[in-house]
Amino acid sequence: MAWHAGSAPTPAIPSDGVLLASLGRPVDRELGGTAGLRRCLDAAGIAPSTRTALGAGPARVHGVDGTVVLLATPHPGQLLALVVRPECADGDPGSVLLRRMLGAQPSPSGSTT
């Protein structure tokens, strides 16, 4: 993406807000549908028991266009964001561009804060 003098360049890593903008967007339209998403999550090493997709949409990492997939985690208030290239739908494990936990971090066991 080009930028002009006086404007800020697009960040190399998307902010949490950019990633969260995909929350609630249809997942089945990305990565070639349900089968492509399943192959992608296999390639990314996401356990089948934690594959509740909550949204998907476009994202860019280091100038590379990809798709962000937002996944539920076992921790309330926390999501896993994966940004992947289209090859992820073919099961390519090298296609994961970014893996980031979003939201509240779980407190250590026994903590009252």
Side-chain angles (χ1 to χ4, degrees), residues 13-104:
I13 304 284
S15 69
D16 289 1
V18 168
L19 297 171
L20 286 169
S22 293
L23 189 62
R25 292 184 61 185
V27 176
D28 58 349
R29 296 181 189 162
E30 305 294 334
L31 301 169
T34 305
L37 178 62
R38 185 178 58 249
R39 287 189 300 272
C40 183
L41 296 178
D42 284 344
I46 304 299
S49 63
T50 59
R51 291 188 178 184
T52 302
L54 303 174
R60 185 167 228 192
V61 175
H62 295 292
V64 178
D65 289 328
T67 299
V68 60
V69 179
L70 297 173
L71 300 165
T73 71
H75 307 289
Q78 190 176 57
L79 302 174
L80 173 61
L82 292 177
V83 180
V84 297
R85 293 189 320 238
E87 298 82 22
C88 193
D90 297 327
D92 177 3
S95 62
V96 177
L97 299 170
L98 177 72
R99 181 186 301 250
R100 183 186 301 159
M101 296 304 281
L102 304 174

